[in-house]
Amino acid sequence: MPGEWNARYFFYIMVREKDVCWEYAEKLDGNKVKCKFCLRILNGGISRLKHHLSRLPSKGVNPCSKVRDDVTDKVLAILASKDDNNEAPLTKKRKREEPRSPVNIPPNRGLVILETQSPIAKMFPNITQNMPSHISDQENAERSIALFFFENKLDFSVARSSSYQLMIDSIAKCGNGFNGPTPETLKTNWLEIIKSEVNIQSKEIEKEWSTTGCTIIVETWTDNKSRALINFLISSPSSMFFHKSVDASSYFKNTKFLADLFDSVIQDFGPENIVQIILDNTLNCTSIVNHILQTYGTIFVSPCASQCLNAILKEFSKLDWVNRCILQAQMISKFIYNNSSLLDMMKKFTVGEEIIKTGITKYVSHFLSLQSILKQRSRLKHMFNSPEFTNNPSYSNKPQSMTCISILDDNDFWRAVEECVAVSDPFLKVMREVSGGKPAVGSIYELMTKAKESIRTYYIMDDIKCKTFFDIVDQKWQSHLHSPLHSAAAFLNPSIQYNPEIKFLGSIKEDFFRVLEKLLPTPELRRDITNQILLYTRATGMFGCNLAKEAIDAVSPGIWWEQYGDSAPTLQRVAMRILSQVCSTSPFERHWSTFQQIHADKRNKISKETLNDIAFVHYNLKLASSKRSKSTEIDPIQLQDIDMTSQWVEETENPSPTQWLDRFGSALDVNDLNTRQFSNSIFGPNDHLFNL
């Protein structure tokens, strides 16, 4: 017997070692494995790893977000084959039993069989359901829509799209027998039609540039494979639209290539129409900035205000006591959000509200979540002290439960949360103002000044902490955010110019004159400009009429100059062009996986052109939808859905106090816009879109 047992054990080890999935994992002590893609440590050995790599939410295993598609397909095939083998004996047994136990299907029920060639269908070969004949048309329609979403791995947020209900209404008007367009028709005819319509809209926007000018926005994305994608967008007061995407991977450090690329984009829209170019921090290299400034005398290069504000929040979060406060708050949120029944209990006590928020960056998420937890302070304490919680051993006996209760009862923790919220909130307000896609260049200087003053007021009795935060803000503002164009815009903003409480006008006057000299480079252009400046600063002529005074807070600064600046025509033209600009990149979340596919090496010319057209249409429709759905209830720095893979939800093995600071490379230090959506967390970031 011992010899037989050893032989069986040896055979088991040999089979285990030969499992092809071991090449994707590292064996650890005990029955643990480490995924080579996402580095997650799993309990349960190779079987657990397979379900992890399959990206299917099964057996309580979190899907891998970084596994390659080819690996997922291989693992799914292995799992499907295993299930087929296990099912064979059962099938034979059922066949033998059929004569003895026939299945009678009632006449009022129908058997619906859904057939598909997807990997999921291989694992679950007979998806059947008995549907009663009295099912309503509404239920049947909703079921069909749900099946369409699940089968095609669509993000649930698609149902919020304005075109979603429009599509349903249009189909309903066609009545029975409507056949949807074929894939080929969508990819050719309809793509070309919609692209043409989008182009017409962009041409309409260009008409205002002679008056307001425009801003070129440059967004850059890099990955761990040294790929670099650059997107170019154009912004003006009425709208923002996407121009093109360029793969700069081979030339990202080549100044000559980048200079030629920027030259071509500038010529596409005319240097005379461009007021500024906003570069994100990833691409803000001195050589490109110098090339633009030297070649185009009237074009400014500005930083992205949202990214600079994010850099300030990042430095705030790195302070020891702030970092400790965030980690303690995350212990509470992870304990709740990783237990479904406890999460239901929490929503009962908070009346359906979440205790965490997902922002457009991870640092925005940190401080929005602290605000939310502070708001729910009494309800959280009430829940953890309620009989519903304390009498349930599945909660109360866990070590995490004791830790959470200890944190919630710690007054020092709550004082730290209050302090974090008080310090960060003014800068979150500034980010909201500059991230909404509206012209905000005239207010950024004042907003930043007020945010700094709020810190001074809060720490009026603590000079050391006040100086700590002031140093962070001043360093980031002066080295990244401050621009002469921002100073000139503040000087030309009537709500600042005519406000007696504003103290910084004298300090920005020199910047204002430098901007004027740049935009009006010849004496002929500057003729009478001094008298026009005096008319404006002294509020004489039309500037001083009652209508002008009443309109200061009622309309945007650009519109105010258009209506009341006629007595200073040269200054009016300059003011309208400056005050009509944005100071941040596009106001909604990017889906870089689309652009990754456009520039994939294996794409042939036809599919690349098609994907370029799809990206052009997709991005511009999203921008148009974002502008149409503007609402005071929508927070431009907060995503609607909780990111279930964030550090506020996802549990990690052996977390350390600084682990969350080390998860991104230096290239993403201030460019960490949150793009992890449902499809990425379930199916991985490399799923091919549009089946091309």
Side-chain angles (χ1 to χ4, degrees):
M1 286 298 291
E4 182 182 348
W5 186 89
N6 287 335
R8 288 179 178 177
Y9 179 75
F10 177 76
F11 175 76
Y12 167 75
I13 293 297
M14 290 296 293
V15 171
R16 181 186 181 196
E17 293 295 338
K18 288 181 180 180
D19 195 309
V20 294
C21 289
W22 279 113
E23 66 177 292
Y24 311 125
E26 175 186 345
K27 287 195 298 182
L28 302 177
D29 293 339
N31 200 26
K32 293 184 177 181
V33 294
K34 183 176 182 180
C35 174
K36 289 185 178 180
F37 295 102
C38 66
L39 306 183
R40 180 186 290 276
I41 297 175
L42 305 168
N43 292 312
I46 197 67
S47 175
R48 199 86 161 169
L49 176 77
K50 290 176 184 176
H51 287 278
H52 173 64
L53 296 178
S54 73
R55 296 182 184 159
L56 295 175
S58 60
K59 298 191 177 182
V61 183
N62 286 322
C64 183
S65 61
K66 298 183 179 180
V67 62
R68 301 194 310 271
D69 282 350
D70 62 309
V71 174
T72 295
D73 293 341
K74 183 188 293 186
V75 174
L76 284 170
I78 293 171
L79 291 173
S81 174
K82 179 181 177 182
D83 283 359
D84 288 343
N85 293 336
N86 291 340
E87 197 176 275
L90 182 60
T91 304
K92 292 179 181 178
K93 182 178 178 182
R94 284 175 180 166
K95 286 183 178 178
R96 288 195 301 268
E97 291 175 350
E98 276 178 5
R100 299 197 306 270
S101 304
V103 179
N104 295 319
I105 302 176
N108 66 333
R109 290 185 180 263
L111 189 63
V112 180
I113 301 177
L114 303 177
E115 296 183 358
T116 178
Q117 297 302 314
S118 68
I120 296 178
K122 292 180 182 178
M123 297 184 67
F124 309 101
N126 294 314
I127 305 175
T128 62
Q129 237 181 21
N130 289 326
M131 294 178 60
S133 58
H134 62 270
I135 186 171
S136 69
D137 290 341
Q138 172 78 18
E139 286 179 288
N140 193 40
E142 288 187 6
R143 180 178 183 275
S144 298
I145 292 171
L147 287 172
F148 178 73
F149 268 70
F150 302 148
E151 180 184 357
N152 295 285
K153 304 182 298 187
L154 296 182
D155 190 327
F156 297 139
S157 65
V158 169
R160 295 197 191 101
S161 167
S162 58
S163 57
Y164 173 69
Q165 188 60 45
L166 180 64
M167 173 187 69
I168 293 173
D169 293 341
S170 300
I171 294 173
K173 289 179 182 178
C174 294
N176 293 332
F178 170 75
N179 291 320
T182 65
E184 190 61 29
T185 304
L186 288 170
K187 190 164 61 174
T188 54
N189 298 12
W190 281 110
L191 179 58
E192 188 60 35
I193 291 170
I194 302 298
K195 179 188 173 186
S196 299
E197 293 174 356
V198 172
N199 269 323
I200 292 172
Q201 293 298 318
S202 67
K203 293 300 180 185
E204 286 296 314
I205 296 170
E206 292 179 18
K207 294 179 180 179
E208 68 184 8
W209 291 353
S210 60
T211 301
T212 65
C214 65
T215 292
I216 293 179
I217 295 174
V218 184
E219 298 177 341
T220 309
W221 175 85
T222 58
D223 67 5
N224 56 6
K225 297 180 181 178
S226 299
R227 283 193 299 180
L229 307 182
I230 303 176
N231 285 354
F232 293 92
L233 299 91
I234 308 298
S235 172
S236 53
S238 64
S239 189
M240 180 185 297
F241 72 87
F242 170 77
H243 178 47
K244 67 178 180 180
S245 178
V246 176
D247 183 359
S249 304
S250 303
Y251 311 98
F252 197 56
K253 301 299 182 181
N254 186 323
T255 303
K256 177 66 168 60
F257 169 82
L258 292 176
D260 291 343
L261 174 61
F262 275 80
D263 286 342
S264 69
V265 173
I266 290 171
Q267 294 304 322
D268 285 343
F269 303 105
E272 69 281 1
N273 293 320
I274 301 166
V275 175
Q276 67 170 342
I277 298 175
I278 294 180
L279 298 180
D280 70 20
N281 295 353
T282 309
L283 191 64
N284 195 7
C285 57
T286 305
S287 56
I288 295 300
V289 173
N290 290 339
H291 169 77
I292 296 171
L293 295 178
Q294 292 170 9
T295 308
Y296 306 98
T298 59
I299 297 178
F300 293 85
V301 178
S302 303
C304 172
S306 292
Q307 289 187 339
C308 294
L309 287 161
N310 187 57
I312 290 173
L313 294 177
K314 176 184 177 180
E315 293 304 313
F316 285 0
S317 67
K318 290 168 70 173
L319 297 173
D320 288 342
W321 65 271
V322 178
N323 181 23
R324 183 168 57 254
C325 176
I326 292 171
L327 290 174
Q328 288 179 312
Q330 287 176 347
M331 290 180 189
I332 298 171
S333 64
K334 287 178 181 179
F335 179 53
I336 293 174
Y337 280 83
N338 281 280
N339 188 307
S340 58
S341 57
L342 188 56
L343 181 59
D344 290 339
M345 186 192 301
M346 181 271 289
K347 290 186 178 180
K348 174 185 173 183
F349 278 84
T350 62
V351 197
E353 291 190 31
E354 305 283 358
I355 63 167
I356 60 175
K357 306 292 182 185
T358 299
I360 56 175
T361 75
K362 65 178 178 180
Y363 303 108
V364 172
S365 298
H366 289 338
F367 292 104
L368 287 178
S369 294
L370 288 179
Q371 283 185 2
S372 182
I373 286 176
L374 181 62
K375 178 182 176 182
Q376 302 295 341
R377 174 181 180 174
S378 59
R379 292 171 177 174
L380 283 173
K381 295 180 78 170
H382 184 202
M383 182 188 83
F384 276 89
N385 288 313
S386 67
E388 191 175 348
F389 180 87
T390 56
N391 293 338
N392 191 326
S394 63
Y395 310 140
S396 55
N397 291 344
K398 288 188 175 182
Q400 300 99 308
S401 173
M402 298 297 101
T403 301
C404 290
I405 292 173
S406 175
I407 293 171
L408 290 169
D409 289 339
D410 186 356
N411 290 330
D412 288 339
F413 165 73
W414 289 112
R415 277 193 291 269
V417 173
E418 291 172 353
E419 200 169 334
C420 288
V421 169
V423 172
S424 63
D425 187 57
F427 295 94
L428 292 175
K429 289 178 179 177
V430 178
M431 189 176 278
R432 287 187 180 95
E433 288 296 317
V434 302
S435 299
K438 63 182 180 180
V441 71
S443 57
I444 181 67
Y445 199 101
E446 180 187 18
L447 291 170
M448 287 298 295
T449 301
K450 287 182 176 180
K452 283 185 62 178
E453 285 303 312
S454 68
I455 293 178
R456 190 195 306 276
T457 302
Y458 186 78
Y459 286 121
I460 194 169
M461 302 298 291
D462 193 336
D463 291 340
I464 296 177
K465 279 194 174 180
C466 182
K467 184 179 184 307
T468 298
F469 285 102
F470 260 44
D471 288 346
I472 291 173
V473 175
D474 287 342
Q475 193 276 327
K476 295 298 179 183
W477 189 6
Q478 294 302 322
S479 63
H480 295 295
L481 182 54
H482 180 70
S483 165
L485 195 66
H486 296 164
S487 299
F491 192 89
L492 291 168
N493 187 340
S495 66
I496 295 175
Q497 182 67 230
Y498 301 139
N499 185 348
E501 297 181 2
I502 296 294
K503 307 299 182 184
F504 57 74
L505 279 173
S507 62
I508 64 175
K509 198 170 186 179
E510 183 179 350
D511 278 346
F512 168 64
F513 288 146
R514 287 167 54 201
V515 169
L516 276 184
E517 290 178 355
K518 186 177 176 71
L519 295 177
L520 305 172
T522 65
E524 291 76 17
L525 292 173
R526 293 195 293 266
R527 185 181 298 118
D528 199 40
I529 193 65
T530 301
N531 290 331
Q532 293 183 29
I533 294 172
L534 287 174
L535 286 175
Y536 167 59
T537 55
R538 294 176 180 177
T540 55
M542 290 181 65
F543 292 118
C545 71
N546 289 332
L547 283 176
K549 293 177 181 177
E550 293 164 2
I552 287 176
D553 296 321
V555 298
S556 67
I559 297 296
W560 186 89
W561 271 94
E562 181 182 358
Q563 294 298 316
Y564 305 107
D566 292 351
S567 57
T570 303
L571 190 61
Q572 180 189 45
R573 181 175 182 274
V574 170
M576 288 176 61
R577 287 174 68 83
I578 292 176
L579 292 168
S580 297
Q581 308 312 313
V582 295
C583 51
S584 288
T585 54
S586 61
F588 75 93
E589 185 180 13
R590 268 69 104 214
H591 295 277
W592 286 102
S593 57
T594 306
F595 302 107
Q596 283 180 267
Q597 289 185 56
I598 294 172
H599 303 297
D601 294 335
K602 295 181 180 179
R603 297 288 177 198
N604 60 39
K605 185 178 180 181
I606 295 176
S607 64
K608 274 196 173 184
E609 289 177 355
T610 301
L611 277 171
N612 265 309
D613 290 344
I614 290 173
F616 176 80
V617 170
H618 164 73
Y619 211 143
N620 283 307
L621 289 178
K622 291 287 285 184
L623 286 167
S625 175
S626 174
K627 189 170 184 66
R628 284 196 306 270
S629 63
K630 281 287 187 290
S631 168
T632 54
E633 297 178 0
I634 297 177
D635 189 342
I637 66 172
Q638 180 183 322
L639 304 184
Q640 289 182 289
D641 297 319
I642 298 294
D643 181 2
M644 300 305 287
T645 65
S646 77
Q647 296 156 344
W648 288 85
V649 177
E650 191 175 45
E651 291 183 320
T652 55
E653 295 284 336
N654 302 319
S656 66
T658 59
Q659 183 176 5
W660 63 278
L661 292 171
D662 301 325
R663 294 176 68 178
F664 296 91
S666 58
L668 298 178
D669 278 351
V670 287
N671 190 25
D672 64 330
L673 285 167
N674 192 333
T675 59
R676 291 183 294 179
Q677 291 285 0
F678 171 85
S679 58
N680 277 5
S681 62
I682 299 296
F683 302 108
N686 298 319
D687 253 358
H688 292 298
L689 304 179
F690 316 116
N691 198 32
L692 290 173

